[in-house]
Amino acid sequence: MQRWWLLLRGFSLCLTVSLLLQGRGDTFTINCSGFDRNGVDPAAFQAVFARKAFRPVLNYSIPTHVNISFTLSAILEVNAQLQLLTSFLWMDLIWDNPFISWNPKDCVGINKLTISAENLWLPDIFIVESMDVDKTPSGLTVYVSSEGRIKYGKPTRLTSICNLDIFYFPFDQQNCTFTFSSFLYTVDSMLLGMVKEVWEITDTSRDVIQTQGEWELLGINKATPKMFVGSNLYDQIVFYVAIRRRPILYVINLLVPSSFLVAIDALSFFLPAESENRAPFKITLLLGYNVFLLMMNDLLPASGTPLISVYFALCLSLMVVSLLETIFITYLLHVATTQPPPMPQWLHSLLLHCSSPTKCCCGEPQRGNKDEGLTSTCLPGLKEPVELVGKMSSSAEAEPARAQQEHEAQKQHLVDLWVQFSHVMDTLLFRLYLLFMASSIITIIVLWNT
Ligand SMILES: *[C@@H]1O[C@H](CO)[C@@H](O)[C@H](O)[C@H]1NC(C)=O
Ligand SMILES: *[C@@H]1O[C@H](CO)[C@@H](O)[C@H](O)[C@H]1NC(C)=O
Ligand SMILES: *[C@@H]1O[C@H](CO)[C@@H](O)[C@H](O)[C@H]1NC(C)=O
Ligand SMILES: *[C@@H]1O[C@H](CO)[C@@H](O)[C@H](O)[C@H]1NC(C)=O
């Protein structure tokens, strides 16, 4: 009797233990009875839900493998001043929970279930560059497969810090990093892997990004360096997201108008130097350019010195220089026509040299009719100095009327010479201006292309 009782007690103990351990044995199979009639029985998952505070592993020396993936669904804003990139990510995390498994045949063919995410343990994967509180919506669900594989997807508005270099604005590319890492678990407890290849992530992201906004996705690369913090080693996956600005808006609104203004400024050198209109015209251009810069200022990045600012400064200085040149030539002409100072001999010969038809000013060398035709057509009023000196010496001994006339002619000749000199200066400065403009613009274009 005693033995029977002991046997019964032992048996009931065994039964109790086995009932208690049910769903906690080697297989942790979930009891699906009744799922076909009443839906999922919450009691069947109670044992799993009760463990959500702990990392779900059978042996704590086994690290949990979390595979991650993401889809970049929008590039919302790039803030060069704060060095922040705002984007929208769909993050996917996949890991195994060994305490969940069921036999789909027993469970009316259910292969996977959705379970509210707050009932399960979730890995604490975060993005190291994130500079904002986690804006993940609450009340997300996870997919649980019959083998215990858990798929958790969360949409995240990510504000991440990124080293933005706006030197090449608006033709700039940025290389931002998203580093996925566990906040707490070291490599002993958590290892990271990839759900899919990085080119698949790139392709999906390209397909998903519908916006034709300012930024376009160039490509995504990845690296998997481990991170040491103190003596702890953390697993992490670094994604390099390369994005490129679409420059067309800035080309149309900034570069083209400014180039037109500079071109008009250069062309205004063809207005005759004697004309009263040249200086006012250039001042108007300068004023217009300043208004343009004021209006377009908010299109420029708020910080740093992009090359385009250098370009604008260059355009402005070209205009200022051309205005100064006009003022100088106007002054020269004024002096020349009112009270011409005597012209130094070297300047005179230089002028003659420079304005001779074989040299710069008069195009093709035409030696045949050098003295009469060409000097008069190219440089009206300019005569050979020897002839002039001869005239001057001969005029000294003539009668007063003739001397007066000679003096007038001489003065007129000097005026002509100075006017001549002004025109030569104007041409010369214009060429220098063109040379400077061309070389600086070529330099900037070359810099932009590197
Ligand atoms: C499953 O649970 C039901 C009650 O919910 C119970 O009757 C049945 O015996 C259990 N099946 C197994 C295999 O534990
Ligand atoms: C847990 O895993 C470690 C290393 O894999 C092993 O040495 C240990 O025996 C395991 N413990 C149990 C209870 O299985
Ligand atoms: C993670 O990815 C690796 C390699 O692709 C794979 O072997 C492993 O089963 C995956 N683990 C999970 C939990 O998805
Ligand atoms: C981004 O930067 C990383 C490291 O600095 C580099 O390995 C990667 O190739 C860069 N990506 C692009 C597209 O330039």
Side-chain angles (χ1 to χ4, degrees):
M1 191 64 197
Q2 190 86 354
R3 271 174 60 205
W4 272 106
W5 189 81
L6 272 177
L7 209 65
L8 199 68
R9 238 186 90 168
F11 178 72
S12 64
L13 195 72
C14 274
L15 196 71
T16 322
V17 167
S18 74
L19 272 176
L20 270 177
L21 286 181
Q22 193 220 348
R24 219 188 284 180
D26 278 352
T27 53
F28 296 98
T29 309
I30 283 164
N31 181 355
C32 299
S33 71
F35 280 22
D36 50 346
R37 277 167 281 115
N38 307 320
V40 173
D41 181 9
F45 280 92
Q46 251 349 287
V48 175
F49 292 168
R51 291 168 173 269
K52 73 168 186 176
F54 307 100
R55 185 162 66 91
V57 277
L58 298 174
N59 179 344
Y60 251 71
S61 52
I62 302 172
T64 304
H65 286 264
V66 180
N67 285 357
I68 60 179
S69 164
F70 70 93
T71 304
L72 186 65
S73 66
I75 300 162
L76 300 176
E77 196 193 345
V78 175
N79 188 332
Q81 193 176 12
L82 299 177
Q83 300 271 297
L84 289 178
L85 165 74
T86 310
S87 54
F88 205 81
L89 295 188
W90 300 337
M91 209 194 284
D92 283 316
L93 303 174
I94 297 180
W95 69 96
D96 286 330
N97 187 331
F99 301 116
I100 304 177
S101 78
W102 67 83
N103 189 350
K105 284 204 202 90
D106 299 344
C107 303
V108 287
I110 299 173
N111 280 320
K112 55 181 183 179
L113 278 174
T114 52
I115 298 180
S116 172
E118 65 203 21
N119 291 312
L120 292 173
W121 176 87
L122 301 173
D124 60 345
I125 303 294
F126 81 117
I127 293 174
V128 176
E129 286 81 12
S130 180
M131 284 294 134
D132 208 347
V133 289
D134 193 2
K135 293 209 182 101
T136 307
S138 59
L140 293 172
T141 53
V142 299
Y143 258 119
V144 182
S145 77
S146 57
E147 298 96 42
R149 182 149 290 188
I150 298 180
K151 187 172 184 293
Y152 177 49
K154 59 174 181 179
T156 312
R157 185 192 160 102
L158 174 71
T159 304
S160 62
I161 195 141
C162 177
N163 187 11
L164 298 166
D165 178 12
I166 42 104
F167 181 68
Y168 293 111
F169 174 90
F171 303 103
D172 52 339
Q173 289 182 13
Q174 306 297 346
N175 191 353
C176 292
T177 48
F178 296 160
T179 307
F180 290 74
S181 177
S182 167
F183 198 76
L184 194 68
Y185 294 106
T186 57
V187 280
D188 306 328
S189 314
M190 191 177 287
L191 291 176
L192 302 181
M194 299 280 291
V195 174
K196 49 188 176 184
E197 292 302 316
V198 73
W199 61 265
E200 288 177 273
I201 296 179
T202 315
D203 282 0
T204 334
S205 301
R206 275 217 194 94
D207 290 347
V208 165
I209 295 179
Q210 294 292 329
T211 51
Q212 292 297 308
E214 195 182 341
W215 293 88
E216 123 185 68
L217 179 68
L218 276 186
I220 301 176
N221 284 327
K222 85 159 196 204
T224 50
K226 303 257 189 290
M227 176 174 62
F228 262 109
V229 178
S231 59
N232 298 327
L233 187 61
Y234 295 89
D235 201 8
Q236 58 178 18
I237 300 186
V238 182
F239 292 97
Y240 298 105
V241 180
I243 53 177
R244 180 171 59 199
R245 198 191 293 270
R246 294 197 174 92
I248 186 76
L249 169 81
Y250 301 98
V251 170
I252 290 178
N253 283 320
L254 296 176
L255 293 184
V256 170
S258 142
S259 309
F260 276 153
L261 284 176
V262 170
I264 294 174
D265 186 59
L267 286 179
S268 69
F269 275 98
F270 289 108
L271 289 178
E274 288 89 349
S275 136
E276 296 288 301
N277 291 334
R278 209 203 229 186
F281 184 79
K282 291 198 174 194
I283 291 172
T284 317
L285 274 183
L286 197 62
L287 211 64
Y289 195 65
N290 274 317
V291 172
F292 161 79
L293 282 187
L294 274 182
M295 278 168 54
M296 291 303 157
N297 202 23
D298 49 356
L299 275 183
L300 291 176
S303 68
T305 310
L307 203 52
I308 196 167
S309 299
V310 179
Y311 170 76
F312 286 154
L314 184 82
C315 290
L316 196 66
S317 29
L318 279 173
M319 288 182 170
V320 170
V321 163
S322 98
L323 183 62
L324 288 180
E325 193 266 1
T326 303
I327 290 171
F328 173 64
I329 296 296
T330 311
Y331 169 74
L332 213 60
L333 280 172
H334 173 74
V335 169
T337 45
T338 50
Q339 24 180 233
M343 183 169 272
Q345 188 61 40
W346 62 268
L347 191 59
H348 188 260
S349 35
L350 191 73
L351 190 59
L352 205 75
H353 180 69
C354 183
S355 58
S356 87
T358 51
K359 294 292 172 188
C360 49
C361 306
C362 279
E364 291 290 290
Q366 292 179 333
R367 295 199 168 270
N369 48 354
K370 183 182 172 182
D371 30 43
E372 270 296 318
L374 258 175
T375 31
S376 56
T377 50
C378 291
L379 307 163
L382 188 69
K383 288 177 187 133
E384 295 290 322
V386 186
E387 186 189 342
L388 182 81
V389 170
K391 262 189 182 173
M392 280 157 93
S393 57
S394 69
S395 66
E397 296 116 30
E399 66 258 31
R402 193 176 141 80
Q404 179 68 22
Q405 209 178 354
E406 283 290 322
H407 183 71
E408 282 295 309
Q410 197 183 327
K411 190 186 170 193
Q412 184 55 42
H413 181 66
L414 201 57
V415 166
D416 285 350
L417 271 182
W418 276 108
V419 168
Q420 194 60 52
F421 172 68
S422 310
H423 284 159
V424 169
M425 277 306 279
D426 192 27
T427 316
L428 188 72
L429 289 176
F430 176 48
R431 280 172 197 202
L432 280 179
Y433 172 88
L434 280 187
L435 194 71
F436 178 65
M437 183 164 98
S439 54
S440 46
I441 284 176
I442 285 171
T443 312
I444 282 189
I445 287 175
V446 165
L447 275 179
W448 252 323
N449 276 328
T450 49

